[in-house]
Amino acid sequence: QVQLVESGGGLMQAGDSLRLSCAASGGTFNIHYIHWFRRPPGKEREFVARIGWSGGSTYYADSVKGRFTISRDNAKNTVYLQMNSLKPEDTAVYYCAAGVFISPDYWGQGTQVTVSS
């Protein structure tokens, strides 16, 4: 079974930068896509970004495009989310997810990112 552990969240100010990490373990050989989702307070979970594990193709939500960058280190089984120019509306619990196809099959516990104005 695949396990995902997020780290790197914290309390930031608007305009700051932060990098989140997602470490994958277990039987990851069937995983083709790694995603970041987030759940703002009082709102539903929403898509942030995804990356193809082998090919490295990326896709971003319009709300973060140009500010966030998803990347991966295949040797470390780790995916990163570099967040620049943070806004208060980026405040959320950020979740790493993985799946054989686009739809995620595995989820991490989440890491809190809080951005103050």
Side-chain angles (χ1 to χ4, degrees):
Q1 186 179 353
V2 174
Q3 291 86 43
L4 303 171
V5 179
E6 304 95 335
S7 62
L11 177 62
M12 313 298 293
Q13 291 188 335
D16 284 353
S17 296
L18 188 67
R19 189 179 75 164
L20 305 181
S21 298
C22 172
S25 61
T28 62
F29 61 91
N30 282 330
I31 298 299
H32 293 155
Y33 298 96
I34 308 293
H35 316 72
W36 286 98
F37 287 78
R38 68 186 183 186
R39 189 180 189 278
K43 298 182 179 181
E44 297 295 322
R45 186 174 60 201
E46 64 186 28
F47 169 80
V48 176
R50 69 170 174 263
I51 187 169
W53 185 244
S54 59
S57 60
T58 59
Y59 184 80
Y60 299 91
D62 289 341
S63 59
V64 306
K65 192 173 184 179
R67 298 188 298 120
F68 291 9
T69 302
I70 188 171
S71 62
R72 89 281 201 228
D73 186 335
N74 298 63
K76 296 181 178 180
N77 282 338
T78 301
V79 173
Y80 306 97
L81 184 68
Q82 178 66 47
M83 304 184 293
N84 297 328
S85 301
L86 283 167
K87 304 176 180 180
E89 50 263 43
D90 295 321
T91 295
V93 177
Y94 283 73
Y95 298 92
C96 180
V100 177
F101 303 105
I102 295 297
S103 180
D105 299 306
Y106 306 95
W107 295 83
Q109 299 274 12
T111 185
Q112 175 71 233
V113 175
T114 301
V115 184
S116 62
S117 59

